[in-house]
């Protein structure tokens, strides 16, 4: 097969790595190479960061009004809409996500740019009601400078949009480092940003591997903020890099989210919600509802019905409209899933569904929808993120026990609550320690709704009205109104 060849975007130019090195991206549905990309090292990263710093100081960007930045973002949103089918096909090809899922995500993608475009000129500072009559003071929100966006493979366009749009709305410049497993659509996004009219160097993309390209970027002294989505182990490297120059950080690190089904829930909806939570996107979702907590009165019925529904899931080529579950994005991820299921079985979990690769005519990294019954919430499979189509289910007696189990986790990204009791819905929503709570629904997103986690799920929030502020510094300006000479210099005023 002839490989698609991509170049990186540095300072508005499409370039190879200075070393000439490349790497191949594999198609998860066939395990075959389909694309070749530049393998950037420190020298390329240096050029990208310098280009972003130069663009940050360039009056064409620095002096562009907030209204002007908003217009560019709106145009970028429109261009994404014009190119939506191409982007959806490309992302599905690159990371093995279902075409119906990538279409859904890309159809909604312009909203992130349109919504954030409207925030660009609403970054208002304040005037301070000072208790010093001869002084006047006000605050302004100013851009940080160069932002590094580190992107994982599971939803590259979406996870880039929620970093790129606010960073640009606030007047920063950015260097994006997509995952080595799924870079293609981020390069296309940079192409659209140039077409929209963002000056050269405002949006740059370097492609390559985490420990080389990613690490060179995150430890660069000119990088003022790192916006990271990925795994906890990598996040610890990123946090250490940031310590060198105290770069601002936002971290979104996934979770082990509880999906809690009470006996009074609409069971048909709850079954769909459980499927959406863990089998959609083959479970490769930061908000996956991988812990199913089910009230004892309906437990047996729920488990049987879930098995019946999940065993009908059509596994197949992600590019096929009829498929409901595609492959794991990488061979490593498939190995992680297989390892964690083996550990769970060794620890005493009962396999009720799946637990193996499906017998389909494809060489890709497919894994069946899997359900494990657990008697103890302290089992590893109840505590560790799998990032695959593996749900572990356990019964609970009452609300108090459900809440205790829900919060017995190192993570805290999302939670689902299924009940018809309004009071219970609010009590649980208040009690659960997570950044997102869905009641009688799951995996809903909006440009207006902040996402981010409690505990080891990371810190900082993306999306929503405050997301742009997270890409700014606050400045306080003091004006002395007095006509008198400066008083005693040794006393604080
Ligand atoms: O992610 P990594 P991986 C979880 C999930 C998964 C695990 C590992 O549990 O099994 O993480 O996945 C870049 N300096 N999530 O290994 O390594 C890397 O190149 C700077 C949850 O794929 O975190 C990629 O661009 N950057 C998650 C990005 O970090 C480095 C989504 C993410 O890769 C780097 C994905 C370094 N030293 C996985 N090393 C979510 N929150 O949704 C790697 N990178």
């Amino acid at each position: 097969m002839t490989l698609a060849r991509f170049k990186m975007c540095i300072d508005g130019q499409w370039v190879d790595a200075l070393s000439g090195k490349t790497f191949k991206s594999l198609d998860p549905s066939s395990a075959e190479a389909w694309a070749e990309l530049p393998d950037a090292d420190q020298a390329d990263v240096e050029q990208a960061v310098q280009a972003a710093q130069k663009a940050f100081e360039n009056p064409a960007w620095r002096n562009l009004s907030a209204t002007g930045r908003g217009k560019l973002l709106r145009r970028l949103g429109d261009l994404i809409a014009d190119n939506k089918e191409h982007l959806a096909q490309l992302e599905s090809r690159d990371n093995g996500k279902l075409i119906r899922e990538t279409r859904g995500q890309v159809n909604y993608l312009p909203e992130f740019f349109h919504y954030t475009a409207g925030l660009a000129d609403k970054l208002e500072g304040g005037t301070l009601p000072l208790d010093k009559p001869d002084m006047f003071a006000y605050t302004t929100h100013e851009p940080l400078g160069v932002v590094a966006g580190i992107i994982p493979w599971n939803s590259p366009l979406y996870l880039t949009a929620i970093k790129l749009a606010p960073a640009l709305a606030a007047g920063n410049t950015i260097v994006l480092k997509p995952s080595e497993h799924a870079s293609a659509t981020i390069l296309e996004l940079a192409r659209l940003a140039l077409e929209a009219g963002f000056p050269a160097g405002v949006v740059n993309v370097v492609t390559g591997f985490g420990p080389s390209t990613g690490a060179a970027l995150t430890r660069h002294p000119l990088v003022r903020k790192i916006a990271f989505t990925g795994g906890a182990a990598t996040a610890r490297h990123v946090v250490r890099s940031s310590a060198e120059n105290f770069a601002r950080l936002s971290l979104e690190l996934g979770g082990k989210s509880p999906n809690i089904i009470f006996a009074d829930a609409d069971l048909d909806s709850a079954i769909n919600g459980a499927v959406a939570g863990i089998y959609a996107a083959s479970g490769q979702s930061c908000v996956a509802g991988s812990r199913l907590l089910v009230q004892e009165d309906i437990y047996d019925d729920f488990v049987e019905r879930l098995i019946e529904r999940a065993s009908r899931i059509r596994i197949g080529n992600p590019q096929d409209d009829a498929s409901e579950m595609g492959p794991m994005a990488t061979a490593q991820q498939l190995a992680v899933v297989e390892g964690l299921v083996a550990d769970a079985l060794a620890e005493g979990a009962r396999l009720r569904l799946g637990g193996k690769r499906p017998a389909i005519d494809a060489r890709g990294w497919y894994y069946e929808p899997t359900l494990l019954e657990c008697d103890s919430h302290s089992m590893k499979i109840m505590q560790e993120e799998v990032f695959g189509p593996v749900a572990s289910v356990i019964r609970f007696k009452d609300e108090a026990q459900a809440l205790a189990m829900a919060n017995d986790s190192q993570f805290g990204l999302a939670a689902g609550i299924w009940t018809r009791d309004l009071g219970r819905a609010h009590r649980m929503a208040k009690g659960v320690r997570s950044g997102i709570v869905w009641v009688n629904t799951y995996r809903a997103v909006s440009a207006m709704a902040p996402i981010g986690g409690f505990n080891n799920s990371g810190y900082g929030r993306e999306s929503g009205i405050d997301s742009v502020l997270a890409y700014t510094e606050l400045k306080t300006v003091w004006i002395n109104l007095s006509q008198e000479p400066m008083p005693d210099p040794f006393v604080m005023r």
Side-chain angles (χ1 to χ4, degrees), residues 149-155 159 177-183 208-219 226 228-238 241 251-255 284-287 330 332-333 336-337 340 384-388 411 413 457:
I150 307 286
I151 316 294
W153 38 263
N154 53 331
S155 288
L159 295 169
K177 208 302 273 174
S179 165
E180 52 275 34
H181 305 296
S183 306
F209 294 86
S212 47
T213 323
L217 178 58
T218 53
R219 65 169 177 254
I226 306 165
F228 174 84
T229 304
T234 303
R236 290 193 175 92
H237 288 294
V238 170
S241 303
L251 303 173
E252 200 271 84
L253 312 178
Q284 299 170 112
S285 167
C286 52
V287 294
T330 68
Q332 299 93 296
Q333 196 56 37
V336 167
V337 172
L340 284 168
E384 299 269 318
E385 182 174 52
V386 177
F387 225 64
F411 296 109
L413 186 55
S457 289

Side-chain angles (χ1 to χ4, degrees), residues 355-371:
K356 59 184 188 317
R357 302 181 191 198
I360 60 170
D361 186 19
R363 287 184 50 224
W365 304 305
Y366 293 89
Y367 198 77
E368 289 187 358
T370 296
L371 184 66

Side-chain angles (χ1 to χ4, degrees), residues 21-323:
K21 283 192 190 149
T22 60
F23 68 98
K24 294 191 174 65
S25 185
L26 306 183
D27 175 345
S29 67
S30 64
E32 280 172 17
W34 77 277
E36 192 171 15
L37 300 111
D39 184 1
D41 62 20
Q42 192 156 353
D44 305 289
V45 169
E46 183 63 32
Q47 292 206 335
V49 175
Q50 291 294 350
Q53 180 65 28
K54 195 178 74 187
F56 182 64
E57 290 161 14
N58 177 0
W61 179 243
R62 198 85 179 93
N63 297 341
L64 183 66
S65 68
T67 313
R69 295 198 301 270
K71 283 183 180 159
L72 290 180
L73 279 169
R74 208 164 297 120
R75 206 174 297 151
L76 177 53
D78 292 345
L79 285 170
I80 291 168
D82 294 345
N83 289 273
K84 62 185 181 188
E85 184 58 22
H86 166 62
L87 291 170
Q89 295 278 356
L90 196 60
E91 191 143 300
S92 172
R93 179 76 193 272
D94 210 9
N95 72 354
K97 260 205 169 175
L98 288 186
I99 184 69
R100 59 210 272 183
E101 165 93 346
T102 58
R103 272 196 192 116
Q105 284 194 2
V106 176
N107 279 343
Y108 190 71
L109 205 65
E111 294 303 324
F112 290 104
F113 292 90
H114 292 157
Y115 173 81
T116 314
L119 295 173
D121 58 4
K122 292 164 194 71
L123 289 175
E124 296 172 356
T127 53
L128 308 183
L130 287 184
D131 51 355
K132 299 179 191 300
D134 56 355
M135 292 280 198
F136 170 64
Y138 61 92
T139 57
T140 58
H141 296 283
E142 306 211 350
L144 299 162
V146 179
V147 173
I150 307 286
I151 316 294
W153 38 263
N154 53 331
S155 288
L157 279 172
Y158 161 55
L159 295 169
T160 299
I162 59 179
K163 298 170 176 56
L164 179 63
L168 297 180
N172 300 281
T173 59
I174 196 162
V175 180
L176 294 163
K177 208 302 273 174
S179 165
E180 52 275 34
H181 305 296
S183 306
T185 49
I186 307 315
L187 293 166
E188 285 301 291
L189 197 57
R191 190 183 304 284
L192 297 178
L194 284 174
E195 198 180 325
F198 285 96
V202 171
V203 179
N204 308 274
V205 183
V206 287
T207 52
F209 294 86
S212 47
T213 323
L217 178 58
T218 53
R219 65 169 177 254
H220 198 291
L222 285 176
V223 166
R224 304 291 1 157
K225 169 160 179 161
I226 306 165
F228 174 84
T229 304
T234 303
R236 290 193 175 92
H237 288 294
V238 170
V239 172
R240 277 184 213 111
S241 303
S242 76
E244 283 307 308
N245 64 338
F246 305 109
R248 300 334 182 224
L249 276 175
S250 68
L251 303 173
E252 200 271 84
L253 312 178
K256 187 79 193 174
S257 298
N259 210 351
I260 309 163
I261 295 108
F262 285 94
D264 67 351
D266 171 341
L267 273 203
D268 290 334
S269 287
I271 298 282
N272 271 341
V275 169
I278 190 63
Y279 301 128
S282 302
Q284 299 170 112
S285 167
C286 52
V287 294
S290 49
R291 280 189 290 154
L292 289 172
L293 316 183
V294 184
Q295 197 156 21
E296 59 187 8
D297 326 38
I298 54 154
Y299 180 88
D300 293 330
D301 187 27
F302 180 88
V303 168
E304 289 311 320
R305 285 168 70 175
L306 178 61
I307 290 171
E308 191 282 321
R309 176 65 191 91
S311 53
R312 282 190 287 116
I313 291 175
R314 287 188 299 268
I315 305 175
N317 190 316
Q319 308 263 313
D320 182 345
D321 277 322
S323 298

Side-chain angles (χ1 to χ4, degrees), residues 289-454:
S290 49
R291 280 189 290 154
L292 289 172
L293 316 183
V294 184
Q295 197 156 21
E296 59 187 8
D297 326 38
I298 54 154
Y299 180 88
D300 293 330
D301 187 27
F302 180 88
V303 168
E304 289 311 320
R305 285 168 70 175
L306 178 61
I307 290 171
E308 191 282 321
R309 176 65 191 91
S311 53
R312 282 190 287 116
I313 291 175
R314 287 188 299 268
I315 305 175
N317 190 316
Q319 308 263 313
D320 182 345
D321 277 322
S323 298
E324 293 177 326
M325 252 180 65
M328 303 283 88
T330 68
Q332 299 93 296
Q333 196 56 37
L334 176 59
V336 167
V337 172
E338 289 181 324
L340 284 168
V341 171
D343 290 351
L345 295 176
E347 217 183 335
R350 290 181 297 281
L351 182 66
R352 296 297 309 272
L353 184 71
K356 59 184 188 317
R357 302 181 191 198
I360 60 170
D361 186 19
R363 287 184 50 224
W365 304 305
Y366 293 89
Y367 198 77
E368 289 187 358
T370 296
L371 184 66
L372 294 161
E373 268 193 295
C374 302
D375 294 329
S376 160
H377 194 264
S378 58
M379 289 169 74
K380 186 175 166 192
I381 197 69
M382 279 288 178
Q383 298 290 335
E384 299 269 318
E385 182 174 52
V386 177
F387 225 64
V390 179
S392 34
V393 62
I394 191 164
R395 66 182 79 217
F396 68 82
K397 202 191 298 277
D398 53 19
E399 214 175 290
Q401 195 185 14
L403 191 58
M405 276 185 186
N407 289 340
D408 174 25
S409 174
Q410 58 173 316
F411 296 109
L413 186 55
I417 297 162
W418 299 83
T419 178
R420 286 186 170 106
D421 179 333
L422 187 62
R424 167 179 285 159
H426 283 292
R427 282 193 300 277
M428 289 296 294
K430 186 172 178 204
V432 168
R433 302 278 303 156
S434 66
I436 306 167
V437 178
W438 287 299
V439 177
N440 295 332
T441 186
Y442 209 87
R443 262 184 116 225
V445 291
S446 164
M448 293 156 216
I451 73 159
F454 285 30

